[in-house]
Amino acid sequence: MDRSINFRGIAGSAGNIMQGMGKFVFGNEGIESKEDSYVERYLYRISNGTIPDDRRSAMTELQSLVAESRSAQMSFGAMGFPILLNILKEDREDVELVRGALETFVSALTPIETSQGPNTEVQPASVNSDLLSQETENISLLLSLLSEEDFYVRYYTIQLLTALLTNSLKRLQEAILLIPRGITVLMDMLMDREVIRNEALLLLTYLTRDAEEIQKIVVFEGVFEKIFSIIREEGYSDGGVVVQDCLELLNNLIRHNASNQMLLKETMGFDPLISILKIRRGSAFNFTQQKVKTLTRMQIKLHWLRKTFWTIFFCWALRVNGPLSFSAALRCIGNLVLRNPQNLDSLARKQVGEEPHVQPALNAIFSIILRTSVAQEFVAADYVFKCFCERNPNGQALLASTIVPHPNQGNMHEPAIDMPFGSVLLQALVSSDVNGDMEACCRASSVLSHIVKDNMQSKDRVLQIQLETLTPSLGRTEPVLHRIVTCLSIAASTEGENNQNNQPEEPYIQPVILRLLIIWLVDCSNAVNCLLESAVHLNYIIELASSKRYTACVRGLAAVVLGACILYNASHEKGRDAFAVADAISQKIGLTTYFLRFDELRRSLAHPLPEQHHRKELSRSSANSMSDFQEIEEDETNKDDQHPVLSEIFDSQFVNFLSKLEADIRENIMDIFSRTKTATALLPTELEQKNGEVDGEYIKRLKSFVEKQCNEMQDLLARNAMLAEELVRTGGGTTTDTSQRPNNGRERVQIEALRQELEGARRQIEALETDKSQIEAEANNQRNLAVKLESDLKSLSEAYNSIEQANYRLDAEVKTLRQGGSVPYPDVEAIKAQAKEEAEKDSEAELNDLLVCLGQEQTKVEKLSTRLAELGEDVDALLQGIGDDTAIPDDDDDDDEDSEE
């Protein structure tokens, strides 16, 4: 057989290729490295050698060189691929030579880490992978080697395919789909010896990533049965990394694939999955890190089976699995019920435990919240209630309906298994009064916040619950909201005592209770009114927001509570309305300091965006380490050095909610300080004359109204001056204090406050100027109309005088006729009455219209006069001279009438 295959032609072209690639990768100027000449020499011996041992020896030396040198990898990729592929085709009878060729391919495709050279260098292994996977014929050749009897041939072939998938995933996926029975050959490797089976398992895990067509073929080939067979052989959860690889492959097959999920349910059922999670006798308390990791991964993968709610049936058996595994089980339950009506109903009706200690599943989860000493378990159980209540108003109402005081409310040592869920919740809320258990009160507050969130019915229902006061002998009761504020004050005093005694205190107790107050007050004016019933509550919240004894998180959340009391305040009662709360903030905290609390809160709750959990490169089962488990542990316990409870409960969703609320609070407070205290004083009815009210009393009332408005304007100006002075003083303090650096948040708040004030003043000036111009135009129109009316009155007066003169003339004629006696005596009175009636008919209609117009215009003139007086115009000067001309004729007419009579 001729094995030369024109090696010199290949080597010549390879020299040109290597010269260009060497310049690109390593920056050499056409200088062949020593390794390049060795690679060429070894390839020549392999291609043209006649002695089998010499060829095998050259193959071994080539493999060693390629495994150690990146330059050799590049040279081999340029010259050696055709030669070694030809060996795999033509020299299969020489098993040792074929093994060496496959092992050399694996070395050429395995990246070599080096500390020299820039990180932007092209990896020779990646280039070689692309070269080898370009031809589908090469992949088909490798798959054919899997049917060889030699173990090492199959083993190195699997490793080579895995290396190709690592560097050229998409290309190899497409190639395998084009090869007949290509996936079937790989599936057969799962039934091979253990080492090859493990490598094939890893290979299939790579191959099925984001490849729906390959997933369907693999499932059709019966991969589910083979996966669970391997898990069973490895000992279920005790199987270590092999079981973990099986779960990773299972995750690829069912993730976002509804058809595969349904096929798994119909063919295998869920018994095999449940068997993995069961704790075997003799190993219940022998939990290695790998075992906990496997169980955790298992429960996370079950998230994709959300449509079938069955995890609840065995989650309680996982209590002995360690905190990480149990927390994952609880989170799995939360994910299963999230916005899933069927699963929500199942969880609400589910009973757990054994007779006679059976209790609702929600009660059992809540008992975990109250009793666990592991922060991860508390957060995970709280996450179940969060998912249960999210967009589930019926479920929230169901839980709120059970919140009633229990007869044994004060006995904290009585077992709570027979108590309703809500009674246990109330018992935990008041536990701080009995034994100072602030931890239970805090955790119950977190659950209550989920129950009342975005649900007005639940907020009002819980608001109506009355509890006995701390001194029951007085026989008084108080709302639950008041008791929560009391618990908040107890937590603050307890924190102070612990600080004096150098005892650690959980930093999340006060923030969680304040979070409940914020959620409760939002969109609930009844809750705001209830909180402000006692001035002590407002003063205490102000103290939390202003005192430096508390953390920035507590101060910021207290500021948000105060803002909610302003934003959602519908009270008109003096001392409890929004203006009173804003006034208290301005006087006791200062608006600048108050706004700075929001910036402090934003910084204290700031954490990086949720990192994308990129799937890491799967390592081979034989080399798998515990680094993943350590990373899981670190993710659970360390998030920006922030307490895990705060980082989980105050998630990005709640932080975004606070940001929107902050903007509304700022705008509302600035609006309050830019308008008058009593908006009812501007009602039009105050400016109208009452029925039966004489002019003198009306004028006095208008003067009183104007004085009241002036006083309020002076008060507003004084407040604005005080705010401006405070802003200037705060800004000056920031620049003169050399021990502190300027605070960007403070400067931003100052600029924003000044900008809003200036903008409000500008808008007011523009509005006043517009009103003034409109009023002046209206006054001119009224003045012109008054002149016209005066003219009409004069014409009417002249007409009336002419009528009277005609009447006098007729009377004179009648007298003359009487003296003559030549004609019958006429009825003079009848003639006068007829003439008068005719004259009145002529002028009555016009006079009535005129009087109506005069009445309307008089009302407008009065309103405009009042408005001009408010704007500082001299009303008397504007009206001077109007009406004087009309008064004189009227007096003359009256005198004439008197003289005639």
Side-chain angles (χ1 to χ4, degrees), residues 238-266:
D238 297 323
V241 294
V242 176
V243 175
Q244 179 182 325
D245 290 342
C246 290
L247 295 178
E248 196 70 35
L249 174 58
L250 181 63
N251 176 67
N252 289 348
L253 297 176
I254 64 176
R255 184 174 183 265
H256 299 312
N257 196 320
S259 61
N260 285 353
Q261 293 177 17
M262 186 61 63
L263 186 61
L264 173 63
K265 177 183 176 182
E266 293 176 353

Side-chain angles (χ1 to χ4, degrees), residues 80 132 218 261 418 465 498 515 521 549 665 794 884:
L132 185 59
V218 168
Q261 293 177 17
D418 296 330
I465 299 173
N498 290 336
R515 175 176 175 267
L521 296 177
R549 295 191 303 113
I665 291 172
K794 288 181 179 180
D884 294 343

Side-chain angles (χ1 to χ4, degrees), residues 814-874:
V814 169
K815 290 179 181 180
T816 303
L817 292 174
R818 284 180 180 177
Q819 293 176 358
S822 59
V823 294
Y825 178 75
D827 189 351
V828 177
E829 296 297 329
I831 293 172
K832 291 174 63 177
Q834 181 179 3
K836 186 175 183 179
E837 182 179 359
E838 290 177 357
E840 289 178 351
K841 287 181 180 180
D842 293 338
S843 61
E844 182 177 4
E846 185 176 357
L847 184 61
N848 288 339
D849 294 339
L850 183 60
L851 292 175
V852 171
C853 293
L854 285 173
Q856 294 176 351
E857 298 303 325
Q858 180 65 24
T859 302
K860 293 181 179 180
V861 169
E862 291 173 355
K863 292 184 179 181
L864 292 172
S865 299
T866 304
R867 183 58 177 167
L868 287 170
E870 293 178 359
L871 295 174
E873 297 289 343
D874 190 352

Side-chain angles (χ1 to χ4, degrees), residues 16-62:
N16 296 330
I17 295 174
M18 285 309 302
Q19 185 176 3
M21 292 299 296
K23 292 179 182 179
F24 177 72
V25 178
F26 304 105
N28 294 332
E29 298 294 335
I31 301 175
E32 288 190 352
S33 65
K34 189 175 181 180
E35 289 84 357
D36 297 343
S37 61
Y38 286 157
V39 170
E40 183 176 355
R41 187 184 308 168
Y42 295 145
L43 290 174
Y44 181 82
R45 289 169 57 190
I46 294 171
S47 174
N48 299 324
T50 57
I51 303 175
D53 290 339
D54 182 63
R55 297 180 66 200
R56 295 167 191 159
S57 176
M59 184 70 74
T60 303
E61 293 174 359
L62 176 63

Side-chain angles (χ1 to χ4, degrees), residues 609-643:
L609 295 175
E611 296 181 358
Q612 299 294 332
H613 295 285
H614 297 290
R615 200 185 315 274
K616 296 186 176 182
E617 295 297 333
L618 291 177
S619 57
R620 291 184 174 82
S621 303
S622 57
N624 207 309
S625 66
M626 294 308 301
S627 59
D628 291 340
F629 174 79
Q630 293 171 358
E631 290 173 3
I632 293 175
E633 237 179 3
E634 291 174 359
D635 290 342
E636 293 287 341
T637 56
N638 297 323
K639 288 188 178 181
D640 296 334
D641 297 330
Q642 191 179 27
H643 196 282

Side-chain angles (χ1 to χ4, degrees), residues 177 183 211-218:
L177 283 174
I183 296 178
E212 186 174 356
E213 292 298 326
I214 295 179
Q215 292 173 6
K216 292 180 180 179
I217 298 174
V218 168

